[in-house]
């Protein structure tokens, strides 16, 4: 393959070292060392071995970003030489992710969340103060070392408002600050403050959460002292078919929103004739208002590793990948540490637990793209392509990661397997309801006294869940609850006795989705919240399909007209047009982003009577 590189663009020594650190030092010209052909403006690479490493493109780009703060043309050229990727292709990947930059910018970037929960916790006021102190979003400090920008949800909703620091350099560091004040943020930007230590989790009740706040998340020995790896030992004694039978008997369905039966997924992958098989943990938890998977990864990381290992055993997979969203630095560090300790102790790699089973896990980090929570977009991201969804069929169990049969589940879904194997599938199914078995993690945030993750049996009512979170903050009246995050729907105060089951919320015209429960009191400007949701989907649409790319834009414009009293014709005409836009996105979008992008807006108009002041009725 001939690679036509960017003329006159060479990497600096720092950039070259960063890429070599991610990919290994090139031994020959075929692997990316300097060749005579470079003088002619292109490089001829012998493709098969280099092209087989395409999946390392995102890690290589992230290594450059972490070292120097942006990806220069010279660095892009060098990455392309190393991996035999056309520069235009690599540029398309680099510009897809919000946490990467192909334009020069300061080494420290501060991301201030102005999404739904942070918005009602003072994020807008924080941004106003940052503008006064530093300048508008995108402005740099006086020494040019740091800049700030607004960000979609950072998954720290229980401690809103939240801020994420990305610091490039020889020893790059990402860390969060939540709750944050403008004074704290500017001090850190100017190098006058120290990074805040991780906030310890408060002890939490429930089966999935029983170790949270009670076990050292960085100690394998402490995890094993609290029952860790008993489930894997049981799995090895039961056999792959026995494990799948227990999961089928449990009636466990996916906890990420799709609610597909997990046992059927594992069984299909296990029986697939095509090899190899893969296990993928979808930890790209980007739905606004959702943070349960982050809590599990930060506070019980060995449980995630153990559950993935069981999945590998049951599905005849030797390799697993965990894809963690880029905005979760602490979760990334703790999962990485758990993988390393498990591997060192014979719990990953060749001969897991001294047996004949081989399984290992590789961690991949996202770079700021909500769409990568969609399973096939996640596969593309791991493989080194833009994180755009694929058409289905084929489904992941047939042709998933690298075109091979793949079992993909989110963190909460996987961790449920530990209890299923210890207690048995029928015992798990005895909790909850006939159609919604087991317990569910809900992320309760917004206008409640004690925001956090709560584990309750399916069938618990929304009122009971809010009471667990301490009730309404300050005793103010409830205005609405957004179930399922930005992709979900609003429910009204007269619906809070709805049972939280898959079937119960559907009857109420809503969805459980990812488990986000955002509570709003009467003091919240809900029209502003809906406008933020519309802007979120407009920003996060990958742009691959017209219904979503255009529909999300038109939806935002229409809602802005109604909110500003600039309706084209009557409000009735505008809402009818919105119905058409939402229906077109629902029917014709490739993936769930477009299919659900209008759900919150439609429910806000129908149930809450919003946007009625936009013109003649």
């Amino acid at each position: 393959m001939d690679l036509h590189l960017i003329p006159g663009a060479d990497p600096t020594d720092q950039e070259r070292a960063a890429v070599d650190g991610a990919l290994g030092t090139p031994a020959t010209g075929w692997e990316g060392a300097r060749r005579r052909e470079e003088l002619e403006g292109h490089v001829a690479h012998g493709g098969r071995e280099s092209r087989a490493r395409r999946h390392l493109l995102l890690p290589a780009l992230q290594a450059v970003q972490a070292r120097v703060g942006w990806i220069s043309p010279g660095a892009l050229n060098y990455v392309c030489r190393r991996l035999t990727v056309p520069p235009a292709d690599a540029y398309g990947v680099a510009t897809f992710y919000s946490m990467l930059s192909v334009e020069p910018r300061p080494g420290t970037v501060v991301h201030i969340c102005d999404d739904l929960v942070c918005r009602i916790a003072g994020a807008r006021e924080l941004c106003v103060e940052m503008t006064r102190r530093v300048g508008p979003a995108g402005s740099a400090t006086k020494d040019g070392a740091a800049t700030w920008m607004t960000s979609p949800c950072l998954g720290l909703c229980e401690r809103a408002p939240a801020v994420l620091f990305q610091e490039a350099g020889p020893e790059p560091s990402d860390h969060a600050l939540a709750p944050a004040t403008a004074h704290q943020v500017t001090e850190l930007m100017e190098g006058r403050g120290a990074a805040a230590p991780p906030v310890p989790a408060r002890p939490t009740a429930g089966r999935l959460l029983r170790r949270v706040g009670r076990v050292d998340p960085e100690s394998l020995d402490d995890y094993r002292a609290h029952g860790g790896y008993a489930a894997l030992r049981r799995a090895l004694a039961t056999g792959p078919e026995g494990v799948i039978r227990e999961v089928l008997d449990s009636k466990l369905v996916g906890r990420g929103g799709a609610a597909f039966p997990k046992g059927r997924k594992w069984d299909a992958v296990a029986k697939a004739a095509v090899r190899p098989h893969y296990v993928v943990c979808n930890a790209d938890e980007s739905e606004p208002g959702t943070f349960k998977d982050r809590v599990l990864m930060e506070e019980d990381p060995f449980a995630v590793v153990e559950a993935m290992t069981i999945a590998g055993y049951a599905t005849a997979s030797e390799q697993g990948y965990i894809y963690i969203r880029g905005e979760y630095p602490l979760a990334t560090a703790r999962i990485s540490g758990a993988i390393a300790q498990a591997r060192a102790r014979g719990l990953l790699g060749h001969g897991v637990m001294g047996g004949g089973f081989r399984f290992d896990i590789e961690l991949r980090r996202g770079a700021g793209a909500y769409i990568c929570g969609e399973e096939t977009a996640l596969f593309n991201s791991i493989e080194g392509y833009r994180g755009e969804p694929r058409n289905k069929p084929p489904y992941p169990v047939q042709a998933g990661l690298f075109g091979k049969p793949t079992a993909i589940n989110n963190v909460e879904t996987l961790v449920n397997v530990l209890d299923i194997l210890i207690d048995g599938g029928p015992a798990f199914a005895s909790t909850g309801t006939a159609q919604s078995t087991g317990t569910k993690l809900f992320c309760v945030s917004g206008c409640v006294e004690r925001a956090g993750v709560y584990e309750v049996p399916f069938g618990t009512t929304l009122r009971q869940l809010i009471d667990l979170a301490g009730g309404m903050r300050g005793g103010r009246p409830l205005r609405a609850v957004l179930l399922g995050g930005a992709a979900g729907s609003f429910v009204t105060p007269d619906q809070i006795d709805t049972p939280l089951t898959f079937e119960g919320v559907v009857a109420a015209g809503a969805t459980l989705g990812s488990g986000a429960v955002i509570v709003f009191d009467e003091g919240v400007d809900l029209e502003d919240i809906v406008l933020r949701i519309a802007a979120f989907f407009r920003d996060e649409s990958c742009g691959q399909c017209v219904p979503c790319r255009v529909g999300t834009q038109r939806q935002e414009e229409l809602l802005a007209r109604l909110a500003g009293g600039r309706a084209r014709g009557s409000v009735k005409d505008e809402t009818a047009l919105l119905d058409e836009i939402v229906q077109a996105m629902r029917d014709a979008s490739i993936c769930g982003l477009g299919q659900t992008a209008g759900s919150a807006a439609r429910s806000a108009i129908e149930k809450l009577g919003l946007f009625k002041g936009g013109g003649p009725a």
Side-chain angles (χ1 to χ4, degrees), residues 11-43:
T12 65
D13 290 342
Q14 289 182 335
E15 292 167 340
R16 188 183 294 270
V19 175
D20 291 347
L23 304 180
T25 303
T28 69
W30 295 114
E31 294 179 4
R34 294 182 180 275
R35 295 175 52 81
R36 180 173 56 81
E37 291 91 338
E38 294 181 30
L39 301 176
E40 301 171 8
H42 69 277
V43 179

Side-chain angles (χ1 to χ4, degrees), residues 313-364:
Y313 177 66
T315 60
S317 304
E318 293 188 348
Q319 182 64 47
Y321 288 86
I322 178 167
Y323 187 98
I324 301 180
R325 72 176 298 203
E327 294 88 343
Y328 282 0
L330 181 58
T332 300
R334 287 186 170 167
I335 289 287
S336 180
I339 291 171
Q341 288 188 54
R343 189 180 294 130
R345 300 277 285 274
L347 298 171
L348 285 175
H350 293 279
V352 172
M353 274 195 166
F357 164 53
R358 181 192 182 281
F359 182 75
D360 211 340
I361 298 173
E362 186 170 337
L363 186 151
R364 292 298 175 86

Side-chain angles (χ1 to χ4, degrees), residues 504-522:
V505 295
V506 168
T511 176
L512 289 182
S514 58
V517 178
I518 307 177
V519 181
F520 302 98
D521 63 29
E522 292 189 345

Side-chain angles (χ1 to χ4, degrees), residues 19-351:
V19 175
D20 291 347
L23 304 180
T25 303
T28 69
W30 295 114
E31 294 179 4
R34 294 182 180 275
R35 295 175 52 81
R36 180 173 56 81
E37 291 91 338
E38 294 181 30
L39 301 176
E40 301 171 8
H42 69 277
V43 179
H45 280 187
R48 179 179 299 177
E49 291 186 6
S50 294
R51 287 196 297 272
R53 305 176 75 206
R54 168 75 187 242
H55 66 101
L56 296 175
L57 177 57
L58 183 55
L61 295 173
Q62 289 172 315
V64 175
Q65 178 81 34
R67 180 65 184 85
V68 298
W70 70 292
I71 302 164
S72 72
L76 196 71
N77 269 353
Y78 188 56
V79 170
C80 292
R81 283 200 298 266
R82 293 295 317 272
L83 297 176
T84 319
V85 176
D89 206 359
Y91 182 85
V93 172
T95 54
F96 186 81
Y97 299 96
S98 65
M99 297 179 77
L100 302 180
S101 176
V102 294
E103 300 291 336
R105 71 183 189 187
T108 296
V109 179
V110 180
H111 303 266
I112 299 179
C113 176
D114 72 340
D115 221 315
L116 308 182
V117 180
C118 286
R119 203 169 186 82
I120 61 177
R124 285 178 295 179
E125 293 77 9
L126 173 57
C127 290
V128 168
E129 182 62 14
M130 289 299 298
T131 299
R132 188 185 71 81
R133 289 168 174 253
V134 180
S139 301
T141 52
K142 292 179 181 179
D143 60 3
T147 186
W148 74 279
M149 61 182 63
T150 57
S151 167
C153 183
L154 294 173
L156 292 162
C157 312
E158 80 276 33
R159 305 201 301 270
V163 174
L164 176 70
F165 289 78
Q166 279 185 291
E167 298 178 352
E171 296 181 2
S173 172
D174 291 2
H175 57 92
L177 177 65
T181 67
H183 176 73
Q184 292 171 317
V185 174
T186 51
E187 281 215 325
L188 286 168
M189 289 178 71
E190 294 168 0
R192 293 185 286 110
V199 177
R202 59 183 175 85
T204 309
R207 294 189 301 180
L208 292 176
L209 302 174
R210 62 184 176 274
R211 284 180 289 266
V212 171
R214 297 178 174 87
V215 174
D216 181 355
E218 298 180 354
S219 170
L220 176 56
D221 289 333
D222 203 14
Y223 175 68
R224 297 190 78 164
H226 286 79
Y229 280 97
L232 178 58
R233 189 174 295 107
R234 175 72 182 272
L236 295 177
T238 304
E241 292 181 358
V243 171
I244 292 175
R245 184 172 58 253
E246 292 287 2
V247 176
L248 286 168
D249 288 346
S250 74
K251 301 180 183 179
L252 173 66
V253 300
R255 302 307 203 228
F260 188 84
K262 181 172 180 174
R264 285 172 51 193
K265 183 183 293 188
W266 282 18
D267 189 48
V269 174
K271 292 177 178 176
V274 176
R275 297 300 174 102
H277 301 169
Y278 291 101
V279 167
V280 174
C281 176
N282 183 348
D284 191 66
E285 181 183 50
S286 303
E287 186 66 51
T290 311
F291 47 93
K292 59 187 175 59
D293 289 353
R294 190 207 85 231
V295 170
L296 286 173
M297 289 187 290
E298 289 180 351
E299 301 298 333
D300 202 6
F302 292 100
V304 181
V305 173
E306 181 183 4
M308 286 188 69
T309 309
I310 293 170
Y313 177 66
T315 60
S317 304
E318 293 188 348
Q319 182 64 47
Y321 288 86
I322 178 167
Y323 187 98
I324 301 180
R325 72 176 298 203
E327 294 88 343
Y328 282 0
L330 181 58
T332 300
R334 287 186 170 167
I335 289 287
S336 180
I339 291 171
Q341 288 188 54
R343 189 180 294 130
R345 300 277 285 274
L347 298 171
L348 285 175
H350 293 279

Side-chain angles (χ1 to χ4, degrees), residues 265-524:
K265 183 183 293 188
W266 282 18
D267 189 48
V269 174
K271 292 177 178 176
V274 176
R275 297 300 174 102
H277 301 169
Y278 291 101
V279 167
V280 174
C281 176
N282 183 348
D284 191 66
E285 181 183 50
S286 303
E287 186 66 51
T290 311
F291 47 93
K292 59 187 175 59
D293 289 353
R294 190 207 85 231
V295 170
L296 286 173
M297 289 187 290
E298 289 180 351
E299 301 298 333
D300 202 6
F302 292 100
V304 181
V305 173
E306 181 183 4
M308 286 188 69
T309 309
I310 293 170
Y313 177 66
T315 60
S317 304
E318 293 188 348
Q319 182 64 47
Y321 288 86
I322 178 167
Y323 187 98
I324 301 180
R325 72 176 298 203
E327 294 88 343
Y328 282 0
L330 181 58
T332 300
R334 287 186 170 167
I335 289 287
S336 180
I339 291 171
Q341 288 188 54
R343 189 180 294 130
R345 300 277 285 274
L347 298 171
L348 285 175
H350 293 279
V352 172
M353 274 195 166
F357 164 53
R358 181 192 182 281
F359 182 75
D360 211 340
I361 298 173
E362 186 170 337
L363 186 151
R364 292 298 175 86
R365 193 175 186 186
Y370 170 80
I371 190 61
C372 287
E374 197 280 334
E375 57 190 10
T376 61
L378 186 153
F379 296 154
N380 277 339
S381 184
I382 290 177
E383 292 176 22
Y385 298 94
R386 290 167 63 88
E388 296 173 341
R390 304 172 184 172
N391 285 312
K392 301 176 190 176
Y395 295 98
V397 296
Q398 302 162 316
L401 185 63
F402 304 118
K404 304 299 182 182
T406 303
I408 178 168
N409 298 108
N410 77 344
V411 173
E412 181 189 356
T413 309
L414 282 165
V415 173
N416 269 289
V417 171
L418 305 181
D419 288 322
I420 289 172
L421 287 177
I422 295 298
D423 300 329
F428 183 92
S430 68
T431 301
T433 68
Q435 297 181 55
S436 302
T437 63
T439 60
K440 178 76 183 79
L441 298 182
F442 288 99
C443 312
V444 187
S445 61
C447 302
V448 293
E449 291 287 356
R450 295 189 301 273
V453 179
Y454 292 88
E455 182 178 1
V456 297
F458 276 112
T460 300
T461 66
L462 182 55
R463 182 192 302 274
Q464 291 170 326
L465 183 63
I466 293 173
D467 287 344
L468 280 176
M472 297 299 297
R473 187 173 58 202
R476 299 184 184 91
L478 172 68
R479 173 76 187 283
V481 178
L482 181 60
L483 284 182
S489 300
F490 287 96
V491 298
T492 55
D494 61 356
Q495 294 179 302
I496 65 167
D497 289 313
T498 296
L500 295 172
T501 60
F502 293 109
E503 62 274 19
V505 295
V506 168
T511 176
L512 289 182
S514 58
V517 178
I518 307 177
V519 181
F520 302 98
D521 63 29
E522 292 189 345
V524 176

